[in-house]
Amino acid sequence: MAADVAVSLSVLAVVVLLSDVTRRLLVRGLGNTGLSPYAVELVSTFQLCCCTHELKLLSESGGIPPQLALTLTYVTSVAHGLTFRGAVGNPCGVLEHAYRARLSGGCAVRRIACQFAAAVAARAAVPVIWGAGMSGLHSRHKLLGFRCVSAIHASLPQAAAVELMCAFAVQTVITHTQSVEEKYRVPAVAAAITTAVYAGGGVTGAVFNPALAFSTQFPCSGNSFLEYCFVYWLGPLLGMMSSVLLFDKLTTAFSRKSSPLHLPLQTKKQA
């Protein structure tokens, strides 16, 4: 098992490093074309999907303790947060940016297209990596034809509810840490992601990312395409929307309640 873990850690490190070098080169080469945000989105989502494929294989077939799987989830989440260079890597996050008018509709659609293109590319790339047989885990997975089984272990409404709650929790943390320095914000979001994986991983795999699910969960046997869409697309979308709308309403309500308290003071100053 130790050898399998060492190889998987090496794969994760190489993917992150190569992706970061590629991002930097693309930003320099496409800096004056307006295409660099889409290139960064493409590379970052590819990095996310490849790393998640490897972690999924290691946790499901590698026999590692749950504590180690969660530790690796946290560490890779921090690595993604520190290297993404402004990429979102999640269609739900892009839609949240579009809702807040940080992105135009056309820009949001193009970013989401890049994310799904990267998800497909990662799904095609990881069998090539595993096919090299660098570890016993990879070799065994190759002998099984790279097959995987659905991570859904509940009824579809329950599974969708789990994805909804995971997305709600993570989006809430993202919303409330946007003004925090990156060195504190990234670990906080990574901790929220790890907690969500701990809470919902046994039910759905706790993906709460439609593009990531399209890469890692949709190829697995056990459920139909529409069932996967219901759980891994609709659930996270509703979770993100619920968090955004709820806290927007609460912010508006509190601002309305607090504003009358300042009226007498302002009136007195004017007098």
Side-chain angles (χ1 to χ4, degrees):
M1 184 183 72
D4 291 339
V5 172
V7 171
S8 292
L9 289 176
S10 299
V11 170
L12 294 173
V14 169
V15 168
V16 172
L17 289 174
L18 288 179
S19 297
D20 195 44
V21 170
T22 304
R23 261 189 304 267
R24 292 175 185 273
L25 292 175
L26 289 173
V27 168
R28 290 179 184 177
L30 301 174
N32 297 324
T33 65
L35 297 176
S36 59
Y38 307 110
V40 169
E41 197 72 59
L42 187 71
V43 175
S44 298
T45 307
F46 179 82
Q47 171 186 320
L48 172 65
C49 291
C50 285
C51 290
T52 305
H53 273 289
E54 187 66 30
L55 287 175
K56 182 173 180 286
L57 177 64
L58 187 62
S59 61
E60 292 180 354
S61 305
I64 64 173
Q67 297 86 346
L68 178 57
L70 290 172
T71 301
L72 293 177
T73 298
Y74 176 79
V75 171
T76 54
S77 297
V78 170
H80 295 326
L82 293 175
T83 60
F84 268 22
R85 299 176 66 90
V88 181
N90 188 334
C92 293
V94 173
L95 292 176
E96 187 258 342
H97 284 0
Y99 167 77
R100 298 190 185 281
R102 296 174 188 154
L103 295 174
S104 65
C107 180
V109 170
R110 288 189 289 273
R111 285 203 180 207
I112 291 174
C114 289
Q115 291 169 352
F116 277 98
V120 173
R123 194 162 74 182
V126 288
V128 177
I129 299 173
W130 294 332
M134 292 182 289
S135 70
L137 176 61
H138 290 176
S139 298
R140 292 191 299 271
H141 196 46
K142 180 182 178 181
L143 290 175
L144 295 173
F146 308 117
R147 291 196 301 270
C148 62
V149 180
S150 173
I152 298 175
H153 301 295
S155 67
L156 294 181
Q158 290 174 332
V162 168
E163 287 291 307
L164 184 154
M165 289 185 288
C166 289
F168 179 92
V170 173
Q171 179 61 50
T172 299
V173 173
I174 291 173
T175 300
H176 288 80
T177 56
Q178 286 178 345
S179 60
V180 178
E181 289 183 55
E182 183 181 63
K183 62 181 180 180
Y184 301 118
R185 174 174 49 81
V186 170
V189 174
I193 292 172
T194 305
T195 303
V197 170
Y198 172 76
V203 182
T204 64
V207 185
F208 47 90
N209 181 331
L212 180 59
F214 189 70
S215 186
T216 62
Q217 303 296 336
F218 278 54
C220 299
S221 60
N223 291 95
S224 68
F225 178 82
L226 290 179
E227 289 172 338
Y228 282 133
C229 289
F230 178 74
V231 173
Y232 293 115
W233 288 2
L234 183 62
L237 179 60
L238 292 177
M240 179 277 293
M241 292 173 57
S242 299
S243 174
V244 170
L245 295 176
L246 173 64
F247 287 101
D248 279 0
K249 292 290 185 183
L250 288 177
T251 301
T252 302
F254 281 123
S255 63
R256 286 177 179 174
K257 287 183 179 180
S258 61
S259 58
L261 298 176
H262 300 287
L263 289 178
L265 180 61
Q266 293 173 353
T267 305
K268 185 176 180 179
K269 287 183 177 179
Q270 290 174 358

